[in-house]
């Protein structure tokens, strides 16, 4: 596995590549990772373009580990367009699973930002966020995308 630390306005994002796919993204500043790898170069370029407002859709090869439910929820989240939001209930209806299960899967998303779990809201509005900074980071990501006009 190779890792790359990428400073952004949302904090330092650490991206992990394994066997030709991005497998994890987390926030971290304790250790800077600068492994060499063409895929990490591309991930850094795309994350910097997103941060600068020049990218609205990631095109990185991903490998989502975990349950079939997690993979299905991540696929639904990946389909949410830049600047839009959906509810846990919307995804739950599509997948015929409880909204609470969708919420749990969102919290287990191994590649937040790239798989935009921040675009998933509760039925009554803003909910938590498992990324560093919690809900404040979710709000910052949504504002960056011009989503959820009630927050802007």
């Amino acid at each position: 596995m190779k890792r790359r630390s990428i400073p952004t306005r949302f904090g330092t994002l650490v991206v992990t590549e394994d066997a030709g796919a991005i497998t994890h993204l987390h926030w971290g500043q304790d250790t800077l990772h600068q492994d060499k790898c063409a895929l990490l170069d591309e991930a850094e370029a795309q994350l910097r373009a997103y941060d600068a407002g020049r990218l609205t859709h990631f095109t990185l090869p991903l490998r989502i580990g975990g349950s079939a439910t997690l993979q299905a929820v991540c696929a639904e989240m990946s389909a949410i367009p830049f600047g839009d939001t959906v509810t846990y209930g919307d995804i739950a209806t599509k997948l015929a699973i409880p909204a609470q299960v969708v919420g749990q899967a969102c919290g287990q998303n191994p590649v937040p930002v790239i798989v935009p779990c921040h675009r998933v809201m509760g039925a009554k509005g803003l909910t938590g966020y498992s990324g560093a900074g919690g809900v404040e980071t979710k709000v910052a990501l949504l504002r960056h995308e011009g989503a959820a006009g009630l927050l802007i």
Side-chain angles (χ1 to χ4, degrees), residues 44-94:
E44 180 171 359
Q46 288 190 31
L47 284 162
R48 287 185 182 274
Y50 172 82
D51 186 40
R54 297 187 315 268
L55 182 97
T56 61
H57 179 74
F58 292 95
T59 58
L60 298 166
L62 304 176
R63 187 171 52 255
I64 307 295
S67 70
T69 299
L70 174 61
Q71 292 173 18
V73 170
C74 285
E76 289 296 323
M77 290 187 296
S78 292
I80 305 167
F82 182 93
D84 286 348
T85 60
V86 302
T87 67
Y88 297 106
D90 294 333
I91 295 173
T93 298
K94 282 186 174 183

Side-chain angles (χ1 to χ4, degrees), residues 19-143:
I22 300 298
T23 57
H24 290 89
L25 182 149
H26 71 275
W27 279 260
Q29 296 192 32
D30 53 337
T31 303
L32 290 178
H33 303 278
Q34 294 303 320
D35 293 336
K36 303 291 183 197
C37 168
L39 180 53
L40 289 177
D41 292 344
E42 182 59 24
E44 180 171 359
Q46 288 190 31
L47 284 162
R48 287 185 182 274
Y50 172 82
D51 186 40
R54 297 187 315 268
L55 182 97
T56 61
H57 179 74
F58 292 95
T59 58
L60 298 166
L62 304 176
R63 187 171 52 255
I64 307 295
S67 70
T69 299
L70 174 61
Q71 292 173 18
V73 170
C74 285
E76 289 296 323
M77 290 187 296
S78 292
I80 305 167
F82 182 93
D84 286 348
T85 60
V86 302
T87 67
Y88 297 106
D90 294 333
I91 295 173
T93 298
K94 282 186 174 183
L95 298 178
I97 59 177
Q100 183 179 17
V101 172
V102 173
Q104 291 167 346
C106 286
Q108 296 171 0
N109 176 7
V111 285
V113 181
I114 296 170
V115 172
C117 51
H118 59 277
R119 297 179 189 158
V120 183
M121 310 285 279
K124 296 182 181 179
L126 189 63
T127 56
Y129 188 64
S130 60
V135 74
E136 291 82 13
T137 299
K138 182 173 188 162
V139 169
L141 289 163
L142 291 170
R143 281 189 177 142

